[in-house]
């Protein structure tokens, strides 16, 4: 593959998936600079591996898989642990909200995202991949390297933990796709 | 609702955050340079030396309790801190009899071990090291058959002649009168399969119960002379072994079903009298095959070519397989223990995974996603967990 074709494929991939990937990465790492670094690394790895990319998985699942893996790697890093420590110290200094404020918060549209954001990573990532990136159960299985059944269980548990109410038809939709 | 959830999630990310054209050009340039073999490091990755020292100091301070824990635990589990074993989890459940532990089921997704003492059913969280009751124990209960995954628990209590199905997420529980003999419960997502033997007039064979619709379907009628192995289920495929007579000689037939389409998709006969521990993984049906009085062998039917292939392994007593990883119970002195291998071109390569564990290991079994579980026969009757997907 010549450089021009390679550049074209990378540009197309960035146009199609760049916006979603950087926002997904931010949702996990909560740091704009880190999200930019992660997405840059994802696309560079895609570019370098274009020759060996045999199309066994779609470009979409491939890019999401590397993004999720890069986020996992970040969580294992000292850089993240340092940030976590700062947040912990920060949260201890912030006064608790009053019940009224808590109630108002539940009425806010941000509350759904907050509940999802507070879930353990394995539930948070399936909810984001399913509802935000609109990946099917099978695609999420490819991204996370786990079975469709595991994805379904995590979706079900994640929904319950985040108190998301989904109609039966939508559950069926998730089961079938 | 999904559109609403998507919007809510999107609103939680700063609205201006996108992959800008400037950033795309930067990535393209960086990709070109990396491709040309130049090694540019991102300025953000450079950390001043002072920060590094500060983090090291802080980490030493924060890790002190863990180092202390390690030194206390090391007297009991020295192998776990060896580099080769850093990903092995040691699980010690106190107050549970060894016969229950040996049949414990591990659910990787919820990181819990499910055990029964035949009176009740319990969950042990590997993460929090806490136990909780799932099915309240009763003095005269007789729970011997159960199947469990992250979402469902199915069990039979012989004392009440009832089959119970618990949705572990909604906590909804159903009871069914069960005067038939049922056994070999298998769960695959929302699908339960089991064998049912009733009187002369009733269906005798395997049934499928769709737990989302509660629709029951007859899958396979038993016509053979029994089996030495339970059925196996994986990713919508069910394989049922039966001993049959071919020209007056005993053989084993494997009947393969697609559970979604509810059709038989294969039947394979192998010239052995016994098939133990039938397993389906990686598009292959594995079994420990042997004729009475002969050594056993590990073999599989490749569903792509329908042929029987033998795997060249050392003499073994028991096995468990997941994709191309196989755990074998091998002779050691006058006993045996479990070793992990990787299958390569129908031979096996030994992995050092359990080399540092001195106690005898028994009863290897894999979860559906590749976590190997073995029981230790040391004083604590600990179990060891190794996710083979994380082996380097």
């Amino acid at each position: 593959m010549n450089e021009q074709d390679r550049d074209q494929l990378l540009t197309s991939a960035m146009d199609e998936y760049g916006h979603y990937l950087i926002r997904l990465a931010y949702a996990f790492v909560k740091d704009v600079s880190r999200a930019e670094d992660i997405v840059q690394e994802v696309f560079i790895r895609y570019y370098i591996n274009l020759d060996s990319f045999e199309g066994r998985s779609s470009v979409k699942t491939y890019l999401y898989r590397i993004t999720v893996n890069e986020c996992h790697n970040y969580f294992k890093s000292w850089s993240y642990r340092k940030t976590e420590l700062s947040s912990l110290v920060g949260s201890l200094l912030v006064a608790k909200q009053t019940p009224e404020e808590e109630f108002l918060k539940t009425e806010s549209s941000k509350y759904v995202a907050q509940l999802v954001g507070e879930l353990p990573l394995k539930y948070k990532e399936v909810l984001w991949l399913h509802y935000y990136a609109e990946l099917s159960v099978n695609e999420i299985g490819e991204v996370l390297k786990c079975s469709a059944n595991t994805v379904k269980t995590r979706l079900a548990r994640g929904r319950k933990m985040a108190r998301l109410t989904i109609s039966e038809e939508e559950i069926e939709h998730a089961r079938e796709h | 609702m999904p559109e609403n959830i998507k919007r809510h999630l999107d609103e939680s990310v700063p609205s201006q955050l996108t992959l800008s054209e400037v950033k795309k050009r930067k990535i393209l340039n960086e990709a070109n340079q990396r491709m040309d073999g130049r090694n540019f490091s991102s300025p953000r990755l450079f950390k001043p030396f002072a920060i590094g020292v500060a983090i090291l100091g802080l980490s030493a301070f924060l890790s002190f309790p863990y180092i202390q824990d390690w030194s206390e635990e090391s007297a009991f589990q020295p192998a776990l801190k060896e580099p080769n074993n850093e990903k092995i989890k040691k699980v010690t459940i106190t107050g549970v009899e060894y016969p229950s532990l040996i049949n414990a089921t591990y659910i990787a997704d919820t990181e819990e071990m499910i055990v029964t003492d035949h009176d009740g059913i319990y969950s042990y969280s590997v993460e929090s090291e806490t136990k909780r009751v799932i099915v309240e124990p009763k003095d005269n209960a007789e729970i011997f058959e159960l199947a469990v995954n992250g979402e469902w628990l199915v069990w039979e209590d012989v004392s009440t002649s009832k089959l119970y199905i618990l949705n572990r997420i909604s906590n909804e529980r159903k009871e069914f009168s069960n005067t038939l003999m049922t056994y070999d419960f298998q769960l695959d997502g929302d699908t339960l399969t089991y064998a049912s033997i009733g009187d002369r007039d009733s269906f005798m064979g395997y049934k499928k119960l769709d737990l989302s619709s509660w629709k029951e379907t007859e899958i396979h009628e038993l016509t053979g002379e029994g089996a030495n192995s339970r059925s196996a289920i994986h990713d919508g495929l069910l394989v049922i072994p039966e001993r049959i007579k071919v020209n007056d000689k005993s053989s084993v037939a494997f009947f393969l079903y697609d559970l979604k389409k509810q059709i038989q998709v294969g039947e394979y006969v192998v010239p052995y009298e016994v098939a133990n521990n039938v397993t389906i993984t990686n598009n292959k049906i594995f079994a420990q095959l042997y004729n009475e009085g002969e050594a056993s062998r590990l073999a599989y039917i490749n569903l792509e070519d329908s042929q029987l292939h033998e795997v060249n392994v050392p003499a073994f007593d028991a096995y468990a397989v997941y994709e191309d990883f196989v755990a074998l119970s091998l002779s050691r002195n006058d006993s045996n223990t479990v070793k992990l291998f990787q299958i390569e071109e129908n031979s096996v390569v030994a992995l050092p995974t359990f080399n540092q564990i001195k106690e005898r290991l028994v009863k290897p079994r894999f979860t559906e996603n590749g976590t190997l579980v073995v029981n230790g026969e040391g004083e604590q009757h600990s179990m060891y967990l190794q996710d083979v997907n994380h082996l380097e």
Side-chain angles (χ1 to χ4, degrees):
Chain A
M1 193 181 297
N2 64 37
E3 189 177 324
Q4 198 178 354
D5 291 342
R6 200 177 275 279
D7 289 357
Q8 181 58 45
L9 283 170
L10 176 60
T11 304
S12 300
M14 288 194 292
D15 288 344
E16 192 164 1
Y17 303 111
H19 176 74
Y20 280 100
L21 289 178
I22 198 166
R23 294 176 75 77
L24 182 79
Y26 175 86
F28 293 158
V29 302
K30 300 289 180 201
D31 181 298
V32 171
S33 300
R34 185 58 58 182
E36 285 178 354
D37 282 350
I38 285 171
V39 170
Q40 172 170 313
E41 189 60 27
V42 167
F43 282 117
I44 289 173
R45 282 176 58 186
Y46 168 66
Y47 184 85
I48 289 170
N49 292 310
L50 271 172
D51 287 329
S52 58
F53 186 69
E54 297 168 2
R56 278 183 291 188
S57 59
S58 70
V59 173
K60 182 181 170 186
T61 54
Y62 177 83
L63 292 172
Y64 276 106
R65 185 163 71 235
I66 305 176
T67 305
V68 169
N69 287 345
E70 286 292 321
C71 291
H72 287 185
N73 290 339
Y74 170 64
F75 291 133
K76 292 175 194 162
S77 68
W78 273 113
S79 170
Y80 170 70
R81 290 176 195 187
K82 183 168 70 75
T83 310
E84 275 290 274
L85 184 70
S86 309
S87 308
L88 179 66
V89 172
S91 67
L92 293 173
L93 299 174
V94 175
K96 277 199 159 188
Q97 287 172 303
T98 63
E100 290 77 16
E101 286 168 330
E102 286 286 350
F103 176 75
L104 288 173
K105 195 172 68 172
T106 63
E107 297 298 296
S108 140
S109 69
K110 286 181 182 171
Y111 190 55
V112 171
Q114 187 182 328
L115 283 174
V116 173
E118 287 169 356
L119 294 179
L121 181 62
K122 65 184 175 186
Y123 300 113
K124 181 164 58 180
E125 63 193 8
V126 292
L127 290 173
W128 270 89
L129 289 169
H130 189 63
Y131 290 110
Y132 183 71
E134 298 184 340
L135 266 58
S136 70
V137 166
N138 289 334
E139 285 174 328
I140 297 170
E142 280 183 45
V143 168
L144 300 176
K145 290 280 181 194
C146 63
S147 72
N149 287 331
T150 300
V151 174
K152 285 181 197 169
T153 303
R154 289 184 191 175
L155 270 175
R157 281 186 183 275
R159 282 186 197 116
K160 188 182 180 193
M161 292 159 80
R163 295 174 232 166
L164 299 180
T165 50
I166 314 285
S167 69
E168 284 301 316
E169 301 89 86
E170 285 152 9
I171 292 172
E172 283 308 307
H173 176 82
R175 287 186 202 287
E176 295 302 321
H177 292 86
Chain B
M1 176 63 86
E3 269 305 311
N4 285 340
I5 297 172
K6 182 174 181 175
R7 183 168 52 78
H8 289 321
L9 294 175
D10 195 45
E11 284 172 357
S12 71
V13 178
S15 57
Q16 75 281 5
L17 181 61
T18 189
L19 194 62
S20 65
E21 292 305 315
V22 174
K23 185 71 184 164
K24 286 178 194 169
R25 279 198 297 278
K26 183 170 177 265
I27 292 173
L28 192 57
N29 286 338
E30 183 79 18
N32 282 322
Q33 287 170 349
R34 195 90 72 89
M35 197 70 187
D36 290 342
R38 296 175 205 170
N39 196 8
F40 288 86
S41 58
S42 164
R44 281 201 188 99
L45 297 179
F46 174 75
K47 304 289 181 199
F49 178 70
I51 291 178
V53 170
I55 292 171
L56 279 174
L58 187 59
S59 64
F61 171 74
L62 291 173
S63 61
F64 176 72
Y66 300 103
I67 293 169
Q68 196 174 31
D69 282 349
W70 173 79
S71 60
E72 285 166 2
E73 284 176 18
S74 61
F76 301 98
Q77 43 176 330
L80 290 185
K81 303 305 172 186
E82 293 294 324
N84 281 342
N85 290 14
E86 63 185 359
K87 286 167 189 162
I88 292 180
K89 279 186 193 167
K90 182 177 181 179
V91 181
T92 304
I93 306 178
T94 54
V96 179
E97 297 290 323
Y98 184 54
S100 295
L101 294 175
I102 204 82
N103 290 312
T105 304
Y106 180 63
I107 303 173
D109 198 38
T110 48
E111 296 185 70
E112 61 181 335
M113 203 64 85
I114 306 293
V115 294
T116 176
D117 57 4
H118 310 306
D119 295 334
I121 301 174
Y122 317 89
S123 162
Y124 176 85
S125 168
V126 170
E127 199 173 32
S128 64
E129 301 183 359
T130 52
K131 266 187 282 191
R132 83 186 161 84
V133 176
I134 308 179
V135 176
E136 284 291 342
K138 291 181 196 163
D139 283 343
N140 58 348
E142 295 175 54
I143 301 168
F144 293 98
E145 183 76 36
L146 69 84
V148 63
N149 62 20
E151 196 167 357
W152 298 100
L153 171 64
V154 181
W155 73 100
E156 183 193 35
D157 185 344
V158 178
S159 70
T160 57
S161 297
K162 280 184 180 168
L163 179 72
Y164 301 87
I165 299 177
L166 172 72
N167 183 319
R168 303 187 61 211
I169 292 168
S170 68
N171 279 325
E172 186 187 354
R173 176 169 143 168
K174 283 185 183 282
E175 298 180 6
F176 300 88
S177 287
N178 185 32
T179 54
L180 306 176
M181 177 184 168
T182 51
Y183 61 97
D184 197 2
F185 298 167
Q186 304 282 351
L187 274 170
D188 184 34
D190 291 335
T191 299
L192 169 72
T193 59
Y194 61 96
S196 168
I197 297 175
D199 56 35
R200 185 185 291 266
D201 298 327
S202 61
F203 173 79
M204 189 170 81
Y206 279 81
K207 294 179 181 177
K208 165 191 156 180
L209 180 61
D210 185 332
L211 299 174
S212 57
S213 65
W214 303 103
K215 186 181 173 194
E216 191 179 57
T217 316
E218 292 173 358
I219 295 289
H220 172 81
E221 188 171 5
L222 291 167
T223 55
E225 300 177 341
N228 292 75
S229 168
R230 293 162 71 91
S231 61
I233 197 166
H234 182 65
D235 265 357
L237 290 174
L238 173 71
V239 60
I240 300 163
E242 280 203 79
R243 195 163 53 246
I244 58 167
K245 285 268 190 206
V246 178
N247 298 330
D248 253 6
K249 192 174 183 311
S250 285
S251 297
V252 174
F254 297 103
F255 299 93
L256 183 67
Y257 290 88
D258 182 323
L259 290 172
K260 194 167 186 184
K261 294 178 183 163
Q262 297 183 175
I263 54 169
Q264 185 176 333
V265 290
E267 180 179 339
Y268 312 93
V269 177
V270 295
Y272 292 92
E273 294 168 7
V274 178
N276 270 344
N277 193 18
V278 174
T279 305
I280 184 163
T281 182
N282 208 17
N283 232 17
K284 300 178 177 84
I285 299 171
F286 278 86
Q288 180 183 14
L289 299 173
Y290 63 92
N291 292 316
E292 293 297 342
E294 295 177 8
S296 62
R297 58 202 72 209
L298 179 65
Y300 64 87
I301 294 158
N302 188 335
L303 300 183
E304 286 169 11
D305 63 13
S306 300
Q307 298 298 307
L308 182 66
H309 302 263
E310 189 174 335
V311 184
N312 185 20
V313 295
F316 67 103
D317 298 316
Y319 87 100
V321 65
Y322 170 78
E323 297 195 343
D324 56 352
F325 290 92
V326 62
L328 298 169
S329 184
L330 302 177
S331 295
R332 187 181 67 173
N333 303 325
D334 294 333
S335 179
N336 60 25
T337 194
V338 175
K339 297 283 179 191
L340 185 61
F341 295 84
Q342 193 153 17
I343 301 172
E344 285 183 10
E345 296 176 348
N346 289 339
S347 193
V348 289
V349 177
L351 300 174
T353 308
F354 295 127
N355 284 359
Q356 307 289 338
I357 297 175
K358 300 302 176 200
E359 63 184 300
R360 183 190 177 212
L361 302 176
V362 296
K363 193 78 186 289
R365 63 262 194 205
F366 277 101
T367 65
E368 67 166 342
N369 290 323
T371 298
L372 175 62
V373 181
V374 291
N375 287 72
E377 288 206 333
E379 201 173 317
Q380 294 177 301
H381 290 308
S382 299
M383 287 179 272
Y384 296 91
L385 310 176
Q386 171 69 63
D387 184 344
V388 296
N389 297 299
H390 292 160
L391 289 175
E392 288 165 2

